[in-house]
Amino acid sequence: MKKRTIRDLAPAEIKGRRALVRVDFNVPLDGTRITDDTRIRAAIPTLRSLISGGARVVLLSHLGRPKAKPEAKYSLAPVAARLGELLGKPVAFCPETDTDAALAATKALADGDVLLLENTRFLPGEEKNDPALSKSFARLGDFYVNDAFGTAHRAHASTAGVAAFLHPAVAGLLMDAELNWLGATLEKPKRPFIAILGGAKISGKIDVIEQLLPKVDGLLIGGAMACTFYRAMGLETGKSLVEEDRVAMAKDLLARGGMRLTLPHDATVAPSLERAGEAKAVPRNAIPKDQAMFDIGPQSAASYSRAIASAKTIIWNGPMGVFETPPFDAGTRAVAEAMANATGKGATTIVGGGDSAAAVAEAGLENKMSHVSTGGGASLEFLEGKKLPGVEILDEAD
Ligand code: ADP
Ligand code: MG
């Protein structure tokens, strides 16, 4: 079901009204220095749109994992400063979240002003989705906007509960873009449509495999999860990471996936991560007993790249190897580069997953993908076909 967005609001529903916007400003900090402001930048289109419409913008976000009480190191104050730089206008910061003082600060705003309130997770009711807190949040705005896709899989007071008390409740532009790329685009993909799945564990991705397998023309496996499939195929996996309790499941998937499910034909192995210098490529049926697979091999990287080049829609989730430790980043890099090239030739390329997105950013290829999701856990749950509480509560588009 399509959700109403800020684009669907009439000018009179925006101008002079307090927009209570839940954003995901959960940025990494080194002291008070923001080391990556991607998440702040991702909210800018929504904020600019509201500002130019004359809204009085009130922002709610969480940061880190404080234990339901204030902790100075999780204050959003540094974020207000950075947001001000990005918007080119001052952003007021209130060191409280839902108090009378915070309420007064929202009422003191003029059209186009921006106010950031303190970390929602300083409040005990936030993660409990406490209705009393939700109601208290609802006082802070005249309408609600959820642009926090990265937190939409959590039913918290500021991401879901508040919408029971505040309408209109609409999606921001980032939220809308994420839902369109991960939802609508993959429902009606241009074909061939392939998925590339990697990462550490088959157990974490099993529901994604189940969802995608009937829809795709090909599903290419990499990462440690390839080893659980190898085990299911009766191959020696040495010291590789294998989930013993998922071998039966892998067998079942192999039987059902048939030709559509591809496992890497070769592996890059080493005695240990510390001994990365001894890395070598072996065929998948020749993994030494005393070594582990840490990446897909070069032949697989080349054949996965060819598959990507001949597809029209590609979704990628999960690195092909231990990309944090070279040379085991080679498979992941090859996939990222092949996807970037495919985008240039008109394919739709979508990256979901925190570590995959980090690998793409590290390769400097973010802008060469059709879409890189800002939500790790949320994008995974969405691809699993789960309903996201922070989306469900929004008004439906007519
Ligand atoms: P994402 O965050 O993109 O969804 P995951 O969190 O599922 O990805 O997996 C990423 C992790 O998987 C990385 O830390 C990477 O080191 C690890 N990984 C990938 N391949 C292997 C492997 N062959 N052996 C051990 N760990 C692996
Ligand atoms: Mg991860």
Side-chain angles (χ1 to χ4, degrees):
M1 194 50 82
K2 182 88 174 89
K3 293 298 180 178
R4 205 173 174 208
T5 78
I6 57 169
R7 285 193 205 92
D8 304 319
L9 294 172
E13 289 179 290
I14 295 176
K15 183 156 173 56
R17 316 219 353 125
R18 291 169 308 153
L20 182 66
V21 189
R22 178 50 158 102
V23 285
D24 185 349
F25 285 169
N26 183 27
V27 291
L29 287 174
D30 179 6
T32 58
R33 195 176 64 85
I34 297 163
T35 55
D36 180 357
D37 64 1
T38 306
R39 287 188 157 151
I40 306 176
R41 284 187 283 112
I44 297 293
T46 294
L47 302 183
R48 279 204 205 286
S49 167
L50 290 169
I51 292 165
S52 69
R56 304 166 176 203
V57 180
V58 179
L59 301 173
L60 288 177
S61 179
H62 75 287
L63 173 66
R65 295 178 181 274
K67 297 191 177 59
K69 60 174 179 357
E71 271 180 77
K73 67 173 174 177
Y74 294 124
S75 173
L76 280 166
V79 174
R82 181 78 191 109
L83 177 61
E85 288 166 17
L86 290 168
L87 285 173
K89 62 183 285 158
V91 169
F93 177 70
C94 174
E96 301 180 14
T97 315
D98 76 321
T99 57
D100 288 342
L103 178 61
T106 70
K107 294 204 163 151
L109 295 172
D111 293 4
D113 281 356
V114 182
L115 167 71
L116 176 62
L117 301 174
E118 186 56 285
N119 196 337
T120 54
R121 288 195 188 165
F122 286 178
L123 307 174
E126 166 71 340
E127 295 189 60
K128 291 186 187 134
N129 198 9
D130 175 6
L133 180 60
S134 298
K135 209 167 174 176
S136 181
F137 280 154
R139 299 184 304 161
L140 304 168
D142 300 309
F143 64 102
Y144 176 70
V145 179
N146 194 351
D147 213 23
F149 179 74
T151 329
H153 57 315
R154 307 276 180 235
H156 294 167
S158 70
T159 61
V162 60
F165 303 98
L166 188 58
H167 286 278
V170 301
L173 301 178
L174 170 65
M175 176 73 88
D176 186 48
E178 293 274 10
L179 298 176
N180 282 330
W181 284 114
L182 297 171
T185 307
L186 299 186
E187 278 313 314
K188 290 194 178 67
K190 293 179 286 175
R191 293 185 181 273
F193 171 29
I194 65 168
I196 302 154
L197 292 178
K201 291 183 169 176
I202 190 173
S203 50
K205 304 273 162 98
I206 189 74
D207 292 329
V208 180
I209 301 178
E210 292 281 1
Q211 277 290 317
L212 290 175
L213 201 52
K215 296 181 186 158
V216 295
D217 300 298
L219 200 159
L220 314 182
I221 301 283
M225 84 164 92
C227 304
T228 302
F229 282 101
Y230 285 169
R231 181 68 63 83
M233 294 156 77
L235 298 172
E236 171 66 55
T237 51
K239 292 179 357 191
S240 308
L241 193 60
V242 171
E243 286 172 277
E244 296 293 351
D245 56 341
R246 302 293 163 145
V247 173
M249 186 186 272
K251 242 180 213 159
D252 171 57
L253 283 169
L254 284 167
R256 283 192 287 136
M259 295 290 286
R260 271 177 307 151
L261 196 60
T262 301
L263 273 301
H265 277 276
D266 59 347
T268 298
V269 299
S272 66
L273 274 182
E274 293 68 39
R275 290 166 69 182
E278 295 165 51
K280 62 175 186 196
V282 297
R284 69 184 180 195
N285 60 5
I287 297 176
K289 264 195 164 50
D290 57 349
Q291 302 206 15
M293 173 176 187
F294 290 120
D295 193 12
I296 61 172
Q299 281 178 27
S300 307
S303 76
Y304 284 16
S305 300
R306 283 194 299 275
I308 290 165
S310 59
K312 287 279 184 336
T313 306
I314 305 120
I315 168 93
W316 176 29
N317 175 288
M320 296 291 97
V322 184
F323 72 102
E324 301 93 337
T325 310
F328 308 119
D329 59 339
T332 301
R333 272 179 192 279
V335 165
E337 277 159 23
M339 285 190 59
N341 288 335
T343 318
K345 296 201 172 98
T348 299
T349 51
I350 301 172
V351 183
D355 290 292
S356 330
V360 167
E362 208 169 286
L365 297 173
E366 286 163 294
N367 298 327
K368 298 199 166 162
M369 306 294 170
S370 306
H371 182 68
V372 180
S373 178
T374 54
S379 65
L380 205 59
E381 291 200 15
F382 194 67
L383 291 174
E384 287 170 358
K386 292 196 182 128
K387 302 228 177 285
L388 307 180
V391 175
E392 290 305 297
I393 43 82
L394 299 177
D395 300 344
E396 258 150 40
D398 316 313

